[in-house]
């Protein structure tokens, strides 16, 4: 059975801290791994990772994929209260289907 | 920025009633999807749709579910006879057809509550 597992499930930190969110996967027909941020409703796209070892960056967020060990991490530096959200990891299988992890609920306290 | 639009934002229905959830995907996208998220659980794939037919569906997408693209802009999900366990947030998503554009853009969701 295809599995995407995120850890931790919940994380509370203070503004300014750096956080690392983890995602491991065991899926068939893997093509890419995607990170989404879910605040109130719609997941919004952050990164898509297809190749191992190539870091993707967007401002204070960065992510990397290890296809040998089957995991990805999402780093957020200098966290702000606006980073509070559920962060979803998903693998793209074939051309069609995203398989999601259960998400990490990140809370940034001022 | 282009977005996927879903209506209604919230629907309350009685068990056994039919519901139709509507989506307007991004205009130049040709792959369409429905996902759902039961409260407190993972986002789950329901169905993908391309070239006016279902290209893949999950075990959840049984005979009670159907999808349709009735015109050039709308993409609908119909649940024929709702059950309590159909209560969830239903997300529509779309993506462009060109190779490598594997990023799905999600709508804000339709919350379905079955009583």
């Amino acid at each position: 059975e295809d599995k995407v597992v995120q850890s931790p499930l919940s994380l509370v930190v203070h503004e300014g801290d750096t956080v690392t969110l983890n995602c491991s996967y065991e899926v068939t027909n893997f093509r890419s791994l995607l990170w989404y941020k879910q605040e109130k409703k719609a997941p919004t796209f952050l990164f898509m990772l297809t190749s191992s070892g190539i870091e993707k960056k967007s401002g204070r967020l960065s992510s990397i994929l290890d296809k040998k060990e089957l995991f990805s991490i999402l780093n957020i530096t200098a966290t702000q209260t606006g980073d509070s959200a559920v962060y979803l990891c998903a693998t793209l299988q074939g051309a069609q289907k995203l398989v999601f992890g259960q998400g990490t609920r990140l809370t940034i306290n001022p | 920025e282009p977005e996927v639009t879903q209506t209604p934002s919230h629907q309350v229905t009685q068990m056994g009633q039919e519901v139709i959830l509507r989506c307007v995907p991004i205009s130049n996208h040709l792959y369409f999807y429905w996902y759902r998220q039961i409260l407190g659980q993972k986002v789950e794939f329901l169905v993908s749709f391309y070239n006016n037919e279902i290209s893949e569906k999950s075990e959840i997408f049984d005979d009670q579910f159907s999808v349709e693209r009735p015109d050039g802009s709308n993409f609908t999900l119909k649940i024929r006879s709702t059950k309590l366990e159909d209560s969830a947030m239903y997300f529509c998503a779309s993506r462009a057809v060109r190779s490598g554009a594997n990023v799905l853009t999600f709508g804000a969701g339709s919350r379905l509550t079955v009583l």
Side-chain angles (χ1 to χ4, degrees):
Chain A
E1 186 185 332
D2 296 328
K3 277 195 305 187
V4 178
V5 178
Q6 293 185 245
S7 64
L9 294 181
S10 179
L11 185 59
V12 181
V13 300
H14 289 292
E15 208 167 15
D17 288 351
T18 293
V19 298
T20 298
L21 310 183
N22 303 292
C23 177
S24 64
Y25 62 92
E26 285 180 45
V27 300
T28 55
N29 202 15
F30 173 88
R31 288 192 64 182
S32 306
L33 185 141
L34 291 88
W35 285 95
Y36 283 85
K37 179 181 181 182
Q38 186 177 27
E39 293 179 85
K40 297 288 186 190
K41 289 184 177 178
T44 53
F45 171 76
L46 294 174
F47 297 111
M48 183 173 75
L49 303 152
T50 306
S51 302
S52 267
I54 299 173
E55 186 183 50
K56 295 243 177 148
K57 279 183 75 77
S58 176
R60 296 176 294 101
L61 278 67
S62 64
S63 184
I64 197 160
L65 174 68
D66 185 328
K67 289 170 75 173
K68 185 179 171 195
E69 300 297 329
L70 306 183
F71 78 90
S72 173
I73 60 171
L74 175 68
N75 278 318
I76 309 175
T77 59
T79 51
Q80 302 170 359
T81 54
D83 295 327
S84 295
V86 175
Y87 289 83
L88 300 173
C89 169
T91 57
L92 180 68
Q93 296 175 259
Q96 301 293 357
K97 189 170 83 170
L98 285 177
V99 177
F100 282 87
Q102 67 274 58
T104 293
R105 181 173 296 280
L106 176 64
T107 303
I108 311 296
N109 288 326
Chain B
E1 189 171 331
E3 58 180 29
V4 175
T5 306
Q6 290 187 241
T7 55
S9 57
H10 189 192
Q11 181 158 354
V12 181
T13 190
Q14 294 290 324
M15 194 168 55
Q17 295 296 304
E18 174 183 285
V19 298
I20 297 176
L21 306 179
R22 291 184 165 77
C23 171
V24 179
I26 293 172
S27 63
N28 64 341
H29 286 190
L30 295 178
Y31 285 96
F32 313 116
Y33 305 83
W34 284 100
Y35 285 77
R36 79 170 185 191
Q37 187 176 30
I38 295 170
L39 189 64
Q41 296 187 25
K42 294 183 183 186
V43 177
E44 301 173 288
F45 169 79
L46 292 179
V47 66
S48 59
F49 190 87
Y50 172 69
N51 201 24
N52 282 319
E53 60 183 21
I54 290 173
S55 43
E56 189 172 352
K57 60 183 181 179
S58 70
E59 292 174 355
I60 304 166
F61 194 89
D62 61 22
D63 291 346
Q64 292 300 309
F65 291 87
S66 62
V67 289
E68 196 176 36
R69 187 145 162 86
D71 53 44
S73 60
N74 289 287
F75 178 52
T76 62
L77 174 69
K78 182 194 290 187
I79 309 174
R80 231 176 301 280
S81 176
T82 50
K83 303 188 283 283
L84 295 175
E85 54 265 38
D86 294 328
S87 294
M89 181 73 90
Y90 288 81
F91 292 108
C92 175
S94 68
R95 75 174 172 95
V97 72
R98 62 184 168 87
S99 174
N102 284 325
V103 175
L104 274 67
T105 301
F106 286 85
S110 292
R111 179 169 296 286
L112 175 65
T113 303
V114 182
L115 302 176

